[in-house]
Amino acid sequence: MSIIAIDAMGGDHAPEEVIKGVVEAKKNGLKSAIALVGIESEIKRFQEMISPFNDIEIVNADDVFEMDAKPSTVLRRRDCSLYKAADLVKQGKADALVSAGSTGGLLAVATFVVGRIKGIPRPTIATPIPSKRGTTIFLDSGANLECKIENYVSFAKMGMALQKMNGLSRPKVGLLNVGTEEDKGTEAVKEALKALEENIPDNFEGFVEGRDITIGEVDVVVTDGWSGNIALKSMEGLGKLINSILKDSILSGGLFLKLGYLLLRPVFDSLRKKTDSRNTGGAYILGVNAPVVKAHGNSDALAFSNALRVAERGITEKLVQNTIDLIN
């Protein structure tokens, strides 16, 4: 049986929502055993919820890595829940790691404790973005603010491995730029274009623009972490704006508008479900020796439950081996 190590103290609503998420996931068929790593006295406040399951273990950690702590310091705080959860994976006592805590801290333990896959210079955060044609894997979403040319190539291959796990036999890759013409963009992006053309000629479609991420013209969009994080946060903000405008318009409208909303409610519910990040669960940190999933910092039980589903799928679908096969 596979085991998922969880940083039970990570996130805005830990440990309560984390534990509720674990319970919800187990009730919905999660097969993996769970190692809840955190302050034991805090976790045991929810013992009544945990006790029906005999495959949930509590691993004590006396320290909590704060969301605003400097990421590099996590490697010196070996008794914090984040480090100890990663160390379980390193020791082979767990098969995957999930945390809703500090992104930088999780990236640090994923890279230096879980360890990088040989041949991959830098791990990357791969965010699944809903698109008109399914899901676009967008990377890097913020792990590497500046990238070398070799990073773009490895990011592309890791994104392809993830989409192959999702059932695509020949995932198409695009490189994010300010235009699709080959003479546009910075010199670094132009060099990355040539490198991708040489290394993945059968999958590479050339430059794409920001709008193509959600249109779904390609299955993987590659960029540096600086541009990627800005684009990702912009999309999140736009989604919230649209939801707010729709809600305010309906509430301030007349009777006929409200009746129209009731008739269209299934459409709005479908839209909400497709764009709700809680249903995605989390993003893989690719390029390390086990599935590592970053759940959103404000994850509730539903979001964390889905993050566990993502982690278990990374184990069962052999995400790491798929990545190794493509890199080598």
Side-chain angles (χ1 to χ4, degrees), residues 186-257:
T186 64
E187 289 305 314
V189 170
K190 292 176 186 177
E191 288 182 39
L193 177 76
K194 294 177 182 177
L196 289 164
E197 287 173 337
E198 292 172 4
N199 284 273
I200 52 168
D202 295 334
N203 301 82
F204 188 53
E205 299 290 320
F207 286 136
V208 295
E209 296 178 286
R211 60 180 174 229
D212 296 315
I213 300 169
T214 51
I215 288 175
E217 291 296 331
V218 294
D219 308 299
V220 178
V221 174
V222 177
T223 188
D224 61 90
W226 174 272
S227 305
N229 193 260
I230 292 172
L232 182 63
K233 297 296 174 60
S234 298
M235 286 186 280
E236 289 177 351
L238 179 60
K240 290 179 180 179
L241 173 63
I242 292 171
N243 284 333
S244 177
I245 291 173
L246 285 172
K247 183 178 179 181
D248 291 345
S249 298
I250 292 167
L251 290 175
S252 62
L255 177 61
F256 286 108
L257 186 60

Side-chain angles (χ1 to χ4, degrees), residues 28-259:
N28 289 329
L30 188 82
K31 295 182 173 60
S32 298
I34 299 295
L36 280 170
V37 185
I39 297 174
E40 189 170 6
S41 60
E42 290 288 309
I43 296 173
K44 283 192 171 180
R45 290 193 296 119
F46 307 97
Q47 185 67 48
E48 189 174 337
M49 285 193 288
I50 300 169
S51 57
F53 306 95
N54 58 14
D55 58 354
I56 299 178
E57 175 190 7
I58 299 173
V59 179
N60 184 57
D62 295 325
D63 187 17
V64 176
F65 192 73
E66 304 84 1
M67 294 288 281
D68 58 352
K70 189 175 180 180
S72 59
T73 62
V74 72
L75 302 176
R76 299 194 297 271
R77 294 171 60 176
R78 298 195 171 195
D79 202 34
C80 75
S81 56
L82 180 55
Y83 187 99
K84 291 192 79 168
D87 196 49
L88 289 178
V89 179
K90 178 183 178 181
Q91 294 179 41
K93 296 179 180 179
D95 304 287
L97 169 63
V98 179
S99 176
S102 161
T103 300
L106 181 60
L107 183 65
V109 296
T111 304
F112 298 107
V113 181
V114 176
R116 286 183 293 119
I117 294 171
K118 185 178 180 180
I120 293 179
R122 290 186 184 180
T124 179
I125 300 174
T127 302
I129 305 293
S131 76
K132 289 177 67 174
R133 299 187 182 185
T135 299
T136 301
I137 299 301
F138 185 54
L139 68 174
D140 181 30
S141 299
N144 305 280
L145 300 187
E146 296 181 4
C147 293
K148 297 179 179 179
I149 302 307
E150 62 184 10
N151 300 139
Y152 291 97
V153 176
S154 66
F155 293 170
K157 290 181 177 180
M158 288 188 279
M160 288 164 55
L162 182 50
Q163 285 291 43
K164 285 190 173 184
M165 188 186 86
N166 291 335
L168 299 180
S169 58
R170 194 182 77 84
K172 296 188 292 183
V173 179
L175 177 61
L176 189 66
N177 195 12
V178 294
T180 57
E181 299 86 354
E182 291 193 4
D183 62 336
K184 286 194 173 182
T186 64
E187 289 305 314
V189 170
K190 292 176 186 177
E191 288 182 39
L193 177 76
K194 294 177 182 177
L196 289 164
E197 287 173 337
E198 292 172 4
N199 284 273
I200 52 168
D202 295 334
N203 301 82
F204 188 53
E205 299 290 320
F207 286 136
V208 295
E209 296 178 286
R211 60 180 174 229
D212 296 315
I213 300 169
T214 51
I215 288 175
E217 291 296 331
V218 294
D219 308 299
V220 178
V221 174
V222 177
T223 188
D224 61 90
W226 174 272
S227 305
N229 193 260
I230 292 172
L232 182 63
K233 297 296 174 60
S234 298
M235 286 186 280
E236 289 177 351
L238 179 60
K240 290 179 180 179
L241 173 63
I242 292 171
N243 284 333
S244 177
I245 291 173
L246 285 172
K247 183 178 179 181
D248 291 345
S249 298
I250 292 167
L251 290 175
S252 62
L255 177 61
F256 286 108
L257 186 60
K258 290 182 174 66
L259 288 173

